[in-house]
Amino acid sequence: SSGINAEYGVHVWQVDERCDMRHSNSRDLKAFLLDDIPEIPLSNVHFMPVSTAGCGDVAEYKKEFKAANPTGKFNYVILGLGNDGHTASLFPSSKIISENSYFKLVEASTAISPQRMTVTFDLINKSDWVSILVTGTDKKEIIRSIKNGKEYPVNYIKNNQLTWFIDEVLL
């Protein structure tokens, strides 16, 4: 048991999703996290609307978010870091396809599923707490560059409660 009590209204939201179901983040979210926490009912898990037809409507996801979350913010966001400095599918050269104040559909210059649905930096930054989890030896150079002051999309995370969790081999 995870110790999570569903009565407390734990909700899980995706912060980004690939629009190609063959490379789905939701599948990994389910397999590596949600399957181990049965106390969180699937009705409290909000997958981004992606299907074999591609990305869904960011306006519909915003409507779902606001209906379930009247505060309009996340309590806690866990992000990763790409070896090019991207986070939450916000790449250095992302082209915005559609956007609202919470979510956007972007086109990135990446080989794996260039179309992505993601949250905005504004939504991430108004969260109560944000963590960036960095693992993998391929991230050593990007960590060094960030420490030396080079700007990447991840630098736009400006949250007062930001915590970096960095694999020891990268330091």
Side-chain angles (χ1 to χ4, degrees), residues 15-17 19 48 55-59 61-62 88-91 94-107 115-123:
V15 295
D16 73 318
E17 179 60 285
C19 296
M48 288 186 157
C55 276
D57 183 1
V58 292
Y61 199 58
K62 177 183 177 181
S89 288
L90 298 163
F91 288 83
S94 292
K95 176 184 157 204
I96 298 169
I97 297 171
S98 69
E99 177 177 32
N100 59 51
S101 56
Y102 294 93
F103 305 99
K104 60 173 128 185
L105 188 58
V106 297
E107 180 93 24
Q115 261 199 0
R116 311 279 181 108
M117 185 177 279
T118 185
V119 298
T120 62
F121 285 117
D122 288 342
L123 183 56

Side-chain angles (χ1 to χ4, degrees), residues 55-113:
C55 276
D57 183 1
V58 292
E60 284 300 313
Y61 199 58
K62 177 183 177 181
K63 188 195 280 181
E64 180 182 344
F65 176 73
K66 290 198 63 129
N69 192 355
T71 64
K73 66 178 184 170
F74 294 120
N75 296 111
Y76 181 49
V77 175
I78 303 171
L79 301 169
L81 176 69
N83 57 12
D84 60 356
H86 86 273
T87 190
S89 288
L90 298 163
F91 288 83
S93 60
S94 292
K95 176 184 157 204
I96 298 169
I97 297 171
S98 69
E99 177 177 32
N100 59 51
S101 56
Y102 294 93
F103 305 99
K104 60 173 128 185
L105 188 58
V106 297
E107 180 93 24
S109 54
T110 179
I112 299 174
S113 188

Side-chain angles (χ1 to χ4, degrees), residues 2 17 22 31 38 51 72 103 118 126 130:
S2 66
E17 179 60 285
R22 294 172 298 170
S51 69
F103 305 99
T118 185
K126 71 180 187 178
V130 177

